[in-house]
Amino acid sequence: MIDEVWTQFGFACTAAAAVFALAALVQMLASGHTGGGDTALYSALALYLGWFGWDGLLRGLLIACGLTGVVALAVAVSFKSMNSRFPAGPSLLVGALMSILVT
């Protein structure tokens, strides 16, 4: 029982570090489109979703990213500009919550 908890914790920490590294790379390459708050939020969500294993992590991040993409498309269409800016945090949090509720 205790060994399983430490395994889950280790996986969650590893997932958070990996997602942080990937999000930081995206932030460096596309600094005009993503900010440091998004990078930190992605890693925090990965830490939480990683507790549920691969399925929870991948499902949660895919739903969160997909919902953020839908919001980005809606913002771009409504402002008629592909350079529109919007906070991604709320859609990331709602996507992760939707994933947890589905589980």
Side-chain angles (χ1 to χ4, degrees):
M1 177 73 176
I2 292 177
D3 290 338
E4 181 180 328
V5 171
W6 283 108
T7 302
Q8 285 176 304
F9 180 69
F11 179 78
C13 288
T14 304
V19 168
F20 178 79
L22 183 62
L25 178 65
V26 169
Q27 182 184 352
M28 286 181 357
L29 295 176
S31 59
H33 297 283
T34 185
D38 298 334
T39 300
L41 184 57
Y42 269 118
S43 61
L45 289 176
L47 179 65
Y48 185 75
L49 294 169
W51 187 264
F52 299 103
W54 278 108
D55 291 341
L57 177 67
L58 294 177
R59 183 182 321 111
L61 291 178
L62 286 174
I63 291 174
C65 290
L67 185 59
T68 303
V70 168
V71 170
L73 185 61
V75 168
V77 167
S78 67
F79 288 114
K80 297 181 177 99
S81 171
M82 292 303 289
N83 292 327
S84 300
R85 298 182 63 116
F86 70 98
S91 57
L92 290 173
L93 290 171
V94 168
L97 179 63
M98 288 172 49
S99 167
I100 293 166
L101 293 176
V102 169
T103 304

